[in-house]
C-alpha cells in the first residue's frame, strides 16, 4: 500500500478509482500515441477507470479507499488486452478484452460497495474496460493500428485525485494497492 499524495482539510475533491498499468505498457502507449495520434490532446496518465466519483468531501476518502482496498486485496491477477480503437464525442480510447472477467468483476464489486456507501451511482451503460489515449474537441476520426502491447496484467489499483487545468485534467495518486498474487 502506498500513499504518495495527501489532501488536507475537509475540502471537496474530484476523485476516481482506477486500475494502474505496468510501466512497460505505459511506455509503449506513449510511443504509440506519438506515432499514431497526431490530432487531439495526448493523454499523459494512462489507467482503466473502475469508478468516477466526481466531487466528494475529503472526509469520504477513507471509506472509499477502504472499499477499494478490500476488493483489490481479494482479487488475483487477470489479463487485459487492447482489441480496438474507439472514439466518443470527446475521447479516443483503446477498448480492452477482459477474457477472464476479472476486471469486470472487480469493477462491479467496487461500484457495489461505493453505492452501499452512498457515494456512487452506477452509469446505465455497462462498464467497458478501456484506456483513454487522446482527448479532443472535434472528433478526428482516427484509425490507428493497435499498439504492440499484447496481454498484460494491471499492476494494481489506485484512488486518484483529478485536478482540472486549462491544459486538461492532472491526476495524483492518493493511495494505491497491489492485486493479490495468485
Amino acid at each position: 500500500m502506498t500513499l504518495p499524495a495527501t489532501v488536507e482539510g475537509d475540502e471537496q475533491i474530484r476523485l476516481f478509482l482506477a486500475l494502474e498499468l505496468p510501466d512497460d505498457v505505459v511506455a509503449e502507449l506513449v510511443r504509440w500515441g506519438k506515432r499514431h495520434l497526431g490530432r487531439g490532446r495526448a493523454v499523459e496518465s494512462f489507467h482503466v477507470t473502475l469508478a468516477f466519483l466526481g466531487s466528494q468531501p475529503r472526509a469520504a476518502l477513507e471509506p472509499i479507499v477502504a472499499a477499494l482496498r478490500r476488493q483489490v486485496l481479494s482479487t488475483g491477477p487477470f489479463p487485459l488486452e487492447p482489441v480496438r480503437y474507439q472514439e466518443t464525442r470527446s475521447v479516443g480510447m483503446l477498448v480492452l478484452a477482459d477474457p477472464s472477467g476479472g476486471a469486470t468483476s472487480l469493477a462491479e464489486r467496487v461500484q457495489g460497495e461505493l453505492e452501499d456507501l452512498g457515494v456512487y451511482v452506477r452509469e446505465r451503460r455497462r462498464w467497458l474496460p478501456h484506456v483513454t489515449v487522446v482527448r479532443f474537441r472535434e472528433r478526428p476520426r482516427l484509425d490507428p493500428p493497435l499498439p504492440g502491447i499484447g496481454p498484460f496484467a494491471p499492476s494494481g489499483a489506485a484512488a486518484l485525485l483529478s485536478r482540472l487545468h486549462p491544459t486538461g485534467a492532472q491526476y495524483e495518486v492518493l493511495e494505491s494497492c497491489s492485486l493479490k498474487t495468485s
Side-chain angles (χ1 to χ4, degrees), residues 10-39:
D10 200 26
E11 65 191 294
Q12 291 285 313
I13 57 175
R14 192 167 185 260
L15 185 65
F16 69 98
L17 306 179
L19 293 170
E20 298 175 300
L21 306 183
D23 291 342
D24 61 327
V25 170
V26 169
E28 176 55 25
L29 289 175
V30 169
R31 282 190 295 275
W32 172 82
K34 286 179 181 176
R35 284 193 307 267
H36 301 288
L37 304 175
R39 290 178 281 169

Side-chain angles (χ1 to χ4, degrees), residues 113-149:
E113 274 211 54
L114 296 173
E115 284 178 321
D116 291 346
L117 289 171
V119 297
Y120 183 75
V121 176
R122 287 182 210 233
E123 295 181 18
R124 289 186 198 156
R125 63 182 176 215
R126 209 172 131 226
W127 181 78
L128 178 68
H130 69 277
V131 177
T132 298
V133 293
V134 64
R135 296 185 182 280
F136 40 77
R137 291 188 192 278
E138 194 173 310
R139 188 181 291 186
R141 304 206 185 284
L142 300 172
D143 187 23
L146 290 176
I149 294 173

Side-chain angles (χ1 to χ4, degrees), residues 3-146:
L3 298 163
T6 60
V7 181
E8 302 292 329
D10 200 26
E11 65 191 294
Q12 291 285 313
I13 57 175
R14 192 167 185 260
L15 185 65
F16 69 98
L17 306 179
L19 293 170
E20 298 175 300
L21 306 183
D23 291 342
D24 61 327
V25 170
V26 169
E28 176 55 25
L29 289 175
V30 169
R31 282 190 295 275
W32 172 82
K34 286 179 181 176
R35 284 193 307 267
H36 301 288
L37 304 175
R39 290 178 281 169
R41 188 174 66 238
V43 172
E44 296 178 8
S45 175
F46 299 103
H47 56 269
V48 178
T49 301
L50 294 168
F52 180 77
L53 292 103
S55 184
Q56 297 289 326
R58 163 65 179 90
L61 180 60
E62 185 47 43
I64 290 168
V65 168
L68 176 66
R69 192 180 312 118
R70 270 191 301 280
Q71 295 307 322
V72 168
L73 293 177
S74 67
T75 302
F78 51 82
L80 296 172
E81 182 175 12
V83 290
R84 74 179 182 275
Y85 172 82
Q86 177 178 316
E87 291 180 357
T88 68
R89 66 177 183 258
S90 60
V91 303
M93 65 179 77
L94 289 172
V95 176
L96 304 172
D98 178 20
S100 71
T104 301
S105 173
L106 176 59
E108 288 173 355
R109 293 190 326 268
V110 166
Q111 291 171 9
E113 274 211 54
L114 296 173
E115 284 178 321
D116 291 346
L117 289 171
V119 297
Y120 183 75
V121 176
R122 287 182 210 233
E123 295 181 18
R124 289 186 198 156
R125 63 182 176 215
R126 209 172 131 226
W127 181 78
L128 178 68
H130 69 277
V131 177
T132 298
V133 293
V134 64
R135 296 185 182 280
F136 40 77
R137 291 188 192 278
E138 194 173 310
R139 188 181 291 186
R141 304 206 185 284
L142 300 172
D143 187 23
L146 290 176

